Amino acid sequence: MTKKTSVLFVCLGNICRSPTAEAVFRHKALEAGLDIDIDSVGTHGYHIGSPPDKRSRATGEQRGYSFDGLKCRRLDDEDFVKFDYILAMDSSNYDNLLKLCEDDEAKHKIRYFLDFAQGDEKEVPDPYYGGKQGFELVLDLIEKASDGLIKHLQSQST
Ligand code: 4NP
């Protein structure tokens, strides 16, 4: 039996951007009929065990995404073994991931999530200290990159 493709979304706190990416990508993968293991983590452990930020949740739920059951988890060494795609939201997450990954063979799995959006932006900006507009922008970028990632995975399986 072949192993399911697996995708891990990574941000700093795992309460705003990466759980939003998890919720959106779960929804879109299901709609596309793709069976993928999906999870999200933070590079830091400020909020371990907490549900996603209320502002992220409200913004995402308005667009029809479910955040039920999501809880903050911190990245661990096993994640570099388990996941096929390890997708950073910004350059700080990306640099941290490369530093924390001790297996040179696994480093190719680490990429920017917005590589799949094929737009001009490289990073999903941290919305934590800003206003509602920041959370809407996070969702716009994540929806676009999720659509691109779905297309990429579909092209890999044909
Ligand atoms: P996230 O946002 O990385 O998108 O989950 C943040 C969450 C918490 C903090 C910073 C960013 N914090 O400093 O606690």
Side-chain angles (χ1 to χ4, degrees):
M1 207 173 75
T2 51
K3 179 186 162 287
K4 265 202 246 180
T5 299
S6 52
V7 176
L8 182 68
F9 297 106
V10 185
C11 64
L12 175 68
N14 191 217
I15 56 166
C16 298
R17 292 165 293 173
S18 61
T20 300
E22 180 177 349
V24 170
F25 191 66
R26 272 188 194 286
H27 183 101
K28 287 181 178 285
L30 191 69
E31 262 181 358
L34 291 176
D35 189 15
I36 299 167
D37 277 331
I38 305 164
D39 200 0
S40 66
V41 289
T43 54
H44 290 68
Y46 308 129
H47 302 277
I48 291 171
S50 299
D53 186 285
K54 284 199 177 84
R55 298 163 296 173
S56 294
R57 188 167 180 148
T59 316
E61 284 176 348
Q62 264 182 352
R63 296 196 198 185
Y65 303 110
S66 169
F67 290 68
D68 290 353
L70 300 189
K71 257 194 203 149
C72 172
R73 173 168 90 73
R74 188 179 188 170
L75 177 82
D76 66 45
D77 289 344
E78 269 298 294
D79 289 322
F80 293 111
V81 179
K82 275 198 297 206
F83 288 92
D84 302 313
Y85 292 83
I86 300 173
L87 302 178
M89 298 294 143
D90 66 25
S91 57
S92 158
N93 314 145
Y94 182 82
D95 293 345
N96 278 326
L97 282 164
L98 284 179
K99 264 188 237 151
L100 291 165
C101 180
E102 289 175 357
D103 176 4
D104 283 345
E105 306 267 304
K107 286 195 167 144
H108 72 277
K109 300 174 175 185
I110 301 167
R111 298 178 62 174
Y112 283 90
F113 183 31
L114 290 194
D115 280 357
F116 294 97
Q118 292 181 333
D120 295 332
E121 300 93 346
K122 188 171 163 193
E123 306 187 277
V124 182
D126 183 350
Y128 191 70
Y129 293 107
K132 181 160 172 48
Q133 249 187 327
F135 288 86
E136 295 287 355
L137 173 63
V138 164
L139 262 161
D140 292 342
L141 294 169
I142 284 174
E143 285 182 326
K144 209 166 150 204
S146 295
D147 289 337
L149 181 56
I150 299 263
K151 279 201 188 116
H152 166 80
L153 294 174
Q154 283 170 332
S155 75
Q156 298 294 101
S157 65
T158 52

